[in-house]
Structures are given as C-alpha cells and as structure tokens.
Amino acid sequence: MPLLLLVTLLAPLALPMAAQAAPGICMGPVCGDEITRSAKHHFQLRMKVGDQQGHRERLTVDCRDGHLSPAAGPVERGYVAAVARRACRLAGEAPA
C-alpha cells in the first residue's frame, strides 16, 4: 500500500507538463494574444482577440488613430479598443 501511494504521488512529476502560454493582454472579459507588427506598416499591429464566451477573431489595429479592422465583430469593441490601445502603447506606437 505505501508503495502504491508513493507511485501515485511521484507519477505526475515524471510526466512532462504541457506548456501553457500566457493569455497576453487582458481588459475586462477580453484578452488579446499573438500580437505581431504588420510587415508592411510599422504602425499597424495584428492580434487575435477572444472573450469569455468563446468568441474569437483576428484583427488589425492602426496605432496612429486606434482604428480597428474589421470595425464590427463578435467580440465587444469597447474592450477590444482598450486592448488595442494598450498593445500599441507597449509596442511604442502610441499616438503623440
């Protein structure tokens, strides 16, 4: 019995753990991740956003004026705009 208990306690340590990525930037119920700079325009960021209801989408933000493309989608745009502003600020592309 003690050997079985020891094996069950040590078995999870021997198995490799799956890597878990950080959620990225979150504001309220919306998180943005996989944030990359556009290859064509340095002031544009591309990101995936998702909410707690499981809605996900990929969008582009113009950091000069905060314009989101597409302008409408399944994820609430108020929170998406806040995530985009923070991402732009962290990327050093915030408007002057």
Side-chain angles (χ1 to χ4, degrees):
M1 183 68 162
L3 181 60
L4 181 60
L5 182 61
L6 182 64
V7 169
T8 56
L9 291 176
L10 294 179
L13 298 176
L15 299 174
M17 298 293 289
Q20 303 230 350
I25 299 172
C26 295
M27 296 294 286
V30 175
C31 289
D33 58 358
E34 295 185 27
I35 301 168
T36 58
R37 192 177 298 271
S38 169
K40 190 171 182 181
H41 303 290
H42 68 88
F43 53 83
Q44 286 183 342
L45 297 179
R46 296 186 41 98
M47 68 179 76
K48 283 188 178 178
V49 293
D51 61 14
Q52 293 175 345
Q53 296 174 343
H55 301 119
R56 292 194 53 84
E57 65 179 302
R58 185 132 175 95
L59 58 89
T60 303
V61 59
D62 185 335
C63 290
R64 297 175 299 180
D65 59 4
H67 177 76
L68 299 171
S69 178
V75 182
E76 203 277 318
R77 284 303 189 249
Y79 288 113
V80 170
V83 169
R85 281 192 304 271
R86 180 177 265 181
C88 288
R89 214 171 28 250
L90 291 173
E93 293 294 337

